[in-house]
Amino acid sequence: MSQPPTRRRWLKLAAGSVAAAPLAYATPSAYAEATGPIPTAVPVRADAAAVPAPPTWAVRPFPLDQVTLGDSVFRRKRDLMLDFARAYPADRILAVFRANAGLDTRGAQAPGGWETSDGNLRGHFGGHFLTLIAQAYADTGEAALKTKLDYLVGALGECQQALAEHGSPKPSHPGYLAAYPETQFILLEGYTTYPTIWAPYYTCHKIMRGLLDAHTLAGNAQALTIASTMGDWVHSRLGRLPKAQLERMWSIYIAGEYGGMNEVLADLYALTGREEHLVAARCFDNTTLLDACAEDRDVLDGRHANQHIPQFTGYVRLFDHTGEEKYAAAARNFWKMVVDPRMYSLGGTGQGEMFRARGAIAATLDDNNAETCATYNMLKLSRQLFFHQQDPAYMDYYERGLTNHILASRRDTPSTDSPEVTYFVGMGPGTQREYDNTGTCCGGTGMENHTKYQDSVYFCSADGSTLYVNLSLASTLRWPERGFVVEQTSVYPAEGVRTLTIREGTGRLDVRLRVPSWATGGFTVTVNGVRQQAEAVPGSYLTLSRSWRPGDQIRISAPYRLRIERALDDPAVQSVFYGPVLLVARSQERQFRTFSFYKDFTLRGDLADSVKPEGRPMHFTTHGLTLAPFHVADDTRYHAYFKRSEPVVVFGTTDSGVPNRARVDGPTFLDVLWEQAPFATSGRFVRAVRALADGWLSEGLFTRTERDRVVAAAGRVVLRP
């Protein structure tokens, strides 16, 4: 499907300065002047501390301020972003809002990128910045961050009031708040396309989300008032439009992108109880795609990935409020259409911002894969789905995306004038990460990513009887409702050993430990030194039920193993992992590197026979190249995928001379053989070769002569245990 250039490409070509020509309102009746000033108060719970958890959630998250990160690479990445949050001037964020409202900009310059004085997405970065500061304050409790947040919210309130009173032109409703006039929204209703306009409701979402976060994470009551009147404005614009017009608007490439407007309005409704906000949320039903996904029809090929991912988080929230199963089914099915069928090894999706054909992984490897925004939103969707259905696959994906994409997306150097995060993360051979992204969509979500690492480490059941330990990050949970303080010590992602210690609290509690799908090398658990006999199945949860006391310790060991993952459309295109960690080959070459491993295998059949430790933690060497953890974020060119070449059936130094043929479903003879490892003795190895060779003969993949040569070669070789 042919598509206009991506916004990232547009940024490079035009420095983000694309502005539509000013338009007058089409008709006075359709776009009336504001009828009065913004109300100073609205009927909302000004003391609200969080969006209420709906009864549909079987498990619930802990607030950010109840989980503290311990010493780890996650905390170090977070600290880099905290330094940026503290230092970046609030007046620069506010400049575009103040200019639009006719207020003094105080000499401040807009951030840049797409966030310029004439940029068609200006204001979105300010919304993300609100969330950044709110999360940073919830995490650290620093008074200076709260002061900065309150200053930002107060200034936005002044802008909203100024627009209502003397905006030029005046907005159609006094709740309007943006960094540009209402023109973009009017043009969208006439089906104007990108790049004449960009994504007006996307920008609206970021501002509203930032305001709700300022309220729910930092207790700013004015932020809820501003967001509530913005919700009233959205209802006033969209509530009068025919469904067919809305459907056509949301189908427009980029211009119709609305981020998570349905989600933020549903959350606003949960806080205000105002029916208009729920009605407005449902105005964003993208019916064609919603219906297809609800019916499990995959129509994603050629669609803009991040234009649609956040819609489904909104559908989950609409299910919470309406009980309409279609919303939940669509979200579940959509998730399965992305995770695995369209997922690169780091957990990201998309090429050039677009979904490609189902299963097209090797065929789409390039320097513009895996838009970081898309992974940000896939993690949010995974989290929301888990609240309803505790499928370990959601948290397996969450761990993959968090550890290999999000953690890798922040450059490992300090900066106080740039977020230093990625946009695309190329998966093609010899690509390198590009950082900065001030003012872009991924620059905005990137600011958020690194100040909420702890949001999914622990969940609890709705009745408080169960603690879910989803991730291995070093952290401390404070659970005042149950009186527990639980500390998790680990060096994750460096290794799979960790300890959970009950620091405070007494009482019965089920502790559910996630057994990752990669934990095929074992998963052992001890409680106070006593090994537990509970069965640990990779890709499940293991439950410990007992009455706990201060000082009790749970020790978990999940040894890492080297392993490979194959691309769905070409099994010879593979990635190397060490436990949950993606390893990338450091190489300047722009063509695939070719690796062969089976010739080095011993009876244990372990990739460690061919991939050797380099000396630094989690660094290895193979074929003369260094394999490094992808989360080491620098400018070095890397290969996330390589070409596997095992053309002949070889056992150690013994070459049978027989082609290593593959079955129709992909696995070769040697693939299937070594999946049976380890072999306790050479005799068992030879018997396995003979049985498999007989199978290949019966399937017509070996001739009788080839079968005999393979078995003879196995009999001659002496492999080490």
Side-chain angles (χ1 to χ4, degrees):
M1 180 182 294
S2 177
Q3 294 287 359
T6 67
R7 291 168 294 181
R8 178 63 170 170
R9 177 65 174 160
W10 192 269
L11 177 66
K12 289 183 176 181
L13 293 175
S17 299
V18 183
L23 285 185
Y25 288 143
T27 64
S29 59
Y31 307 109
E33 290 189 350
T35 57
I38 299 172
T40 57
V42 290
V44 298
R45 288 171 40 225
D47 62 340
V51 177
T56 51
W57 288 6
V59 302
R60 301 176 180 183
F62 291 97
L64 284 179
D65 61 359
Q66 289 182 212
V67 183
T68 305
L69 289 178
D71 183 32
S72 68
V73 63
F74 291 92
R75 192 168 78 178
R76 291 189 286 277
K77 297 264 191 176
R78 180 211 63 179
D79 288 349
L80 291 171
M81 196 59 73
L82 286 179
D83 288 342
F84 172 78
R86 296 180 185 111
Y88 199 82
D91 286 333
R92 292 195 66 183
I93 295 294
L94 294 167
V96 290
F97 290 95
R98 285 170 167 158
N100 182 56
L103 300 177
D104 183 3
T105 63
R106 309 189 182 188
Q109 292 185 337
W114 301 337
E115 194 77 7
T116 60
S117 60
D118 60 352
N120 272 0
L121 211 67
R122 63 189 185 271
H124 81 290
F125 201 66
H128 287 296
F129 195 78
L130 283 172
T131 296
L132 165 66
I133 302 299
Q135 289 178 174
Y137 172 69
D139 189 6
T140 66
E142 293 179 17
L145 290 169
K146 180 67 161 65
T147 299
K148 190 171 197 172
L149 184 64
D150 291 345
Y151 176 78
L152 286 161
V153 172
L156 290 175
E158 292 171 359
C159 292
Q160 190 184 47
Q161 188 75 39
L163 288 169
E165 292 177 351
H166 49 75
S168 180
K170 276 191 177 182
S172 63
H173 185 281
Y176 181 72
L177 174 62
Y180 42 69
E182 213 169 354
T183 307
Q184 284 210 42
F185 298 90
I186 299 166
L187 288 171
L188 177 61
E189 291 171 13
Y191 312 128
T192 302
T193 58
Y194 165 86
T196 302
I197 64 172
W198 278 37
Y201 281 103
Y202 176 96
T203 306
C204 181
H205 164 244
K206 303 312 173 190
I207 299 167
M208 291 186 69
R209 181 81 265 168
L211 288 164
L212 283 196
D213 288 339
H215 175 67
T216 60
L217 297 177
N220 186 299
Q222 185 186 8
L224 181 58
T225 298
I226 298 170
S228 182
T229 53
M230 288 183 73
D232 295 342
W233 167 79
V234 174
H235 180 260
S236 75
R237 285 217 70 87
L238 300 183
R240 60 183 176 79
L241 299 182
K243 184 65 179 175
Q245 184 176 2
L246 292 169
E247 174 70 15
R248 182 172 171 184
M249 286 162 57
W250 309 144
S251 68
I252 301 173
Y253 173 78
I254 288 185
E257 182 175 359
Y258 58 73
M261 278 300 301
N262 48 2
E263 178 197 13
V264 76
L265 285 164
D267 285 350
L268 184 63
Y269 168 71
L271 291 166
T272 67
R274 299 183 62 181
E275 195 66 26
E276 295 94 329
H277 297 155
L278 184 60
V279 171
R282 300 188 73 164
C283 287
F284 290 92
D285 283 5
N286 192 349
T287 310
T288 300
L289 182 59
L290 174 62
D291 288 347
C293 289
E295 297 164 7
D296 205 15
R297 289 186 288 110
D298 190 335
V299 295
L300 299 186
D301 186 13
R303 294 181 184 266
H304 186 279
N306 202 51
Q307 180 166 347
H308 299 294
I309 297 170
Q311 295 176 8
F312 289 87
T313 304
Y315 294 148
V316 178
R317 296 295 287 124
L318 283 170
F319 166 74
D320 292 334
H321 292 300
T322 68
E324 294 184 20
E325 174 58 26
K326 178 173 74 172
Y327 287 127
R332 290 192 301 268
N333 293 337
F334 172 84
W335 188 90
K336 292 176 182 177
M337 295 172 191
V338 177
V339 174
D340 289 339
R342 292 181 171 87
M343 182 184 74
Y344 300 107
S345 52
L346 83 166
T349 188
Q351 179 193 31
E353 298 187 2
M354 312 302 291
F355 283 129
R356 297 309 179 191
R358 189 181 184 94
I361 302 301
T364 60
L365 298 177
D366 207 337
D367 62 358
N368 63 346
N369 302 119
E371 184 183 3
T372 306
C373 276
T375 299
Y376 160 91
N377 278 308
M378 283 301 298
L379 296 186
K380 288 184 68 175
L381 177 58
S382 301
R383 190 171 184 262
Q384 288 282 335
L385 289 169
F386 190 88
F387 293 158
H388 298 82
Q389 182 181 14
Q390 291 68 65
D391 186 342
Y394 294 136
M395 283 297 115
D396 271 348
Y397 171 77
Y398 197 100
E399 179 184 59
R400 177 192 292 265
L402 186 74
T403 303
N404 296 300
H405 191 168
I406 300 306
L407 188 63
S409 68
R410 177 52 170 88
R411 191 203 296 264
D412 292 331
T413 55
S415 174
T416 55
D417 59 8
S418 164
E420 291 296 330
V421 292
T422 55
Y423 194 111
F424 294 124
V425 179
M427 291 281 99
T431 56
Q432 65 183 143
R433 280 166 281 188
E434 296 180 3
Y435 302 94
D436 181 27
N437 283 296
T438 300
T440 70
C441 55
C442 292
T445 55
M447 293 189 295
E448 299 181 29
N449 281 330
H450 306 283
T451 48
K452 60 169 185 171
Y453 282 127
Q454 70 267 45
D455 74 349
S456 298
V457 176
Y458 311 99
F459 296 150
C460 67
S461 60
D463 64 3
S465 66
T466 304
L467 175 66
Y468 287 80
V469 183
N470 304 310
L471 302 172
S472 302
L473 279 65
S475 54
T476 299
L477 166 68
R478 291 171 176 82
W479 190 1
E481 295 83 358
R482 288 295 314 270
F484 283 108
V485 175
V486 181
E487 181 185 24
Q488 181 168 213
T489 56
S490 79
V491 294
Y492 181 87
E495 65 177 36
V497 177
R498 55 196 165 110
T499 300
L500 291 162
T501 304
I502 309 297
R503 294 299 183 193
E504 296 179 18
T506 301
R508 189 154 194 88
L509 181 69
D510 288 350
V511 177
R512 301 203 72 195
L513 306 172
R514 186 175 65 89
V515 184
S517 58
W518 51 261
T520 56
F523 189 92
T524 58
V525 179
T526 65
V527 176
N528 298 331
V530 179
R531 182 165 179 171
Q532 305 300 292
Q533 299 304 311
E535 183 180 8
V537 178
S540 70
Y541 276 83
L542 182 152
T543 302
L544 302 175
S545 300
R546 61 182 286 147
S547 185
W548 302 92
R549 298 181 301 174
D552 284 347
Q553 283 195 338
I554 305 167
R555 183 173 173 83
I556 304 112
S557 177
Y560 287 2
R561 295 183 64 184
L562 290 159
R563 59 188 177 85
I564 59 100
E565 289 187 1
R566 299 174 172 87
L568 296 177
D569 51 339
D570 185 350
V573 175
Q574 302 177 359
S575 291
V576 182
F577 282 79
Y578 184 51
V581 179
L582 173 64
L583 300 177
V584 292
R586 300 290 183 90
S587 171
Q588 298 290 321
E589 294 290 331
R590 301 307 303 273
Q591 303 298 320
F592 279 111
R593 300 305 300 259
T594 300
F595 292 169
S596 176
F597 297 130
Y598 288 139
K599 60 184 174 54
D600 299 319
F601 274 22
T602 64
L603 290 177
R604 66 178 182 167
D606 196 318
L607 200 59
D609 294 329
S610 185
V611 179
K612 303 298 184 181
E614 187 199 63
R616 290 177 289 170
M618 303 184 71
H619 286 69
F620 300 84
T621 59
T622 189
H623 296 77
L625 298 175
T626 294
L627 301 182
F630 191 47
H631 61 72
V632 177
D634 55 28
D635 300 319
T636 305
R637 291 193 178 275
Y638 59 85
H639 291 240
Y641 286 89
F642 61 90
K643 278 286 184 73
R644 184 77 171 268
S645 178
E646 309 279 4
V648 180
V649 177
V650 175
F651 309 120
T653 58
T654 303
D655 186 344
S656 71
V658 175
N660 181 33
R661 297 192 185 95
R663 285 176 170 160
V664 175
D665 59 353
T668 67
F669 178 86
L670 289 175
D671 291 336
V672 177
L673 172 67
W674 289 112
E675 283 174 1
Q676 303 173 51
F679 300 102
T681 64
S682 294
R684 290 187 180 181
F685 170 73
V686 172
R687 287 194 293 273
V689 170
R690 182 180 295 111
L692 188 59
D694 288 343
W696 244 242
L697 174 63
S698 66
E699 294 178 37
L701 297 173
F702 282 169
T703 65
R704 169 62 66 176
T705 299
E706 289 173 333
R707 178 265 179 204
D708 293 344
R709 289 169 62 185
V710 166
V711 173
R716 293 196 305 272
V717 70
V718 178
L719 296 179
R720 292 183 292 107

